[in-house]
């Protein structure tokens, strides 16, 4: 029995992964291996270890804290209490209709029309909508956008979107840091 328990656990994990989650982890693994190989060329044998630790660290951070980072980047605020646009009620109605968990709803103070989801699973997902989108769309159009985002949550696409956005933010941060260091070293 003790020998069968790990096999059963592995099978449960493999069957619980959706195609989207499997593809996401395959891409993350490939990126980590590429990072390891690139650092090996630059640093020698130590590059493998540093690449593995860096890739693993970024993946860990993206998985557990990516949602917070992305929402913080957009200055999103959770809609609690008074909901001037009725987004919480709309999400509740559509989630009950679809039989999926109700996501946390965030409002982004921006005139640019946009809406997206972030999170690692349907239970840990958040739906973010800009004020510009809410103002520009008619109620039935807004309902269609929210329904489409809830479909993405049901398909567990949030993990891929969150990992991609977090890793892109990390790459941008590294690039900006290098640019700053280079410009700091220049003399006028």
């Amino acid at each position: 029995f003790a020998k069968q328990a790990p096999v059963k656990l592995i099978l449960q994990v493999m069957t619980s992964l959706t195609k989207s989650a499997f593809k996401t982890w395959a891409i993350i693994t490939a990126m980590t291996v590429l990072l390891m190989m690139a650092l090996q060329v630059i640093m020698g044998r130590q590059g493998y270890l540093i690449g593995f630790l860096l890739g693993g660290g970024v993946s860990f951070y993206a998985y557990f804290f990516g949602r917070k980072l992305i929402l913080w980047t957009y200055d999103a605020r959770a809609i609690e209490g008074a909901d001037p646009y009725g987004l919480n009620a709309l999400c509740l109605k559509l989630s009950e209709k679809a039989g999926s968990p109700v996501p946390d709803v965030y409002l982004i103070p921006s005139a640019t029309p946009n809406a997206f989801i972030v999170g690692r699973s349907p239970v840990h997902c958040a739906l973010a909508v800009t004020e510009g989108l809410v103002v520009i769309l008619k109620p039935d159009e807004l309902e269609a956008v929210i329904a489409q985002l809830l479909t993405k949550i049901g398909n567990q696409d949030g993990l891929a979107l969150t990992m991609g956005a977090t890793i892109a933010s990390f790459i941008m941060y590294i690039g900006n840091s290098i640019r700053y260091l280079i410009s700091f070293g220049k003399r006028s």
Side-chain angles (χ1 to χ4, degrees), residues 79-93:
I79 299 177
E80 297 170 346
D83 182 2
Y85 302 111
L87 292 173
N88 275 329
L90 182 60
C91 282
L92 178 66
K93 178 182 99 174

Side-chain angles (χ1 to χ4, degrees), residues 4-174:
Q4 292 178 351
V7 173
K8 187 176 181 181
L9 178 65
I10 291 170
L11 288 175
Q12 285 177 339
V13 169
M14 291 302 288
T15 55
S16 69
L17 285 176
T18 62
K19 288 181 182 179
S20 177
F22 179 76
K23 288 178 187 176
T24 301
W25 287 112
I27 290 170
I28 297 300
T29 302
M31 287 177 60
T32 301
V33 169
L34 286 173
L35 180 64
M36 290 169 58
M37 291 169 49
L39 289 177
Q40 187 272 334
V41 169
I42 296 169
M43 304 174 69
R45 291 186 70 168
Q46 295 86 2
Y48 282 129
L49 178 62
I50 293 171
F52 176 75
L53 293 175
L54 192 60
V58 170
S59 298
F60 177 83
Y61 184 84
Y63 186 80
F64 288 105
F65 303 107
R67 172 183 147 163
K68 289 181 183 179
L69 174 72
I70 294 166
L71 293 172
W72 174 78
T73 302
Y74 281 96
D75 194 28
R77 295 183 183 102
I79 299 177
E80 297 170 346
D83 182 2
Y85 302 111
L87 292 173
N88 275 329
L90 182 60
C91 282
L92 178 66
K93 178 182 99 174
L94 292 173
S95 293
E96 285 178 354
K97 197 173 188 179
S100 64
V102 182
D104 298 330
V105 182
Y106 288 81
L107 189 63
I108 299 171
S110 171
T112 305
N114 192 11
F116 58 88
I117 60 164
V118 291
R120 63 181 185 254
S121 69
V123 177
H124 296 100
C125 254
L127 187 142
V129 180
T130 62
E131 289 178 340
L133 185 78
V134 175
V135 170
I136 235 173
L137 293 181
K138 297 174 188 169
D140 59 329
E141 294 171 333
L142 182 62
E143 185 174 342
V145 169
I146 301 289
Q148 189 263 345
L149 292 173
L150 291 174
T151 302
K152 286 186 176 193
I153 291 173
N155 292 338
Q156 297 186 8
D157 293 338
L159 177 63
L161 297 171
T162 302
M163 296 291 274
T166 306
I167 290 171
S169 296
F170 176 74
I171 292 169
M172 185 179 68
Y173 173 75
I174 295 295

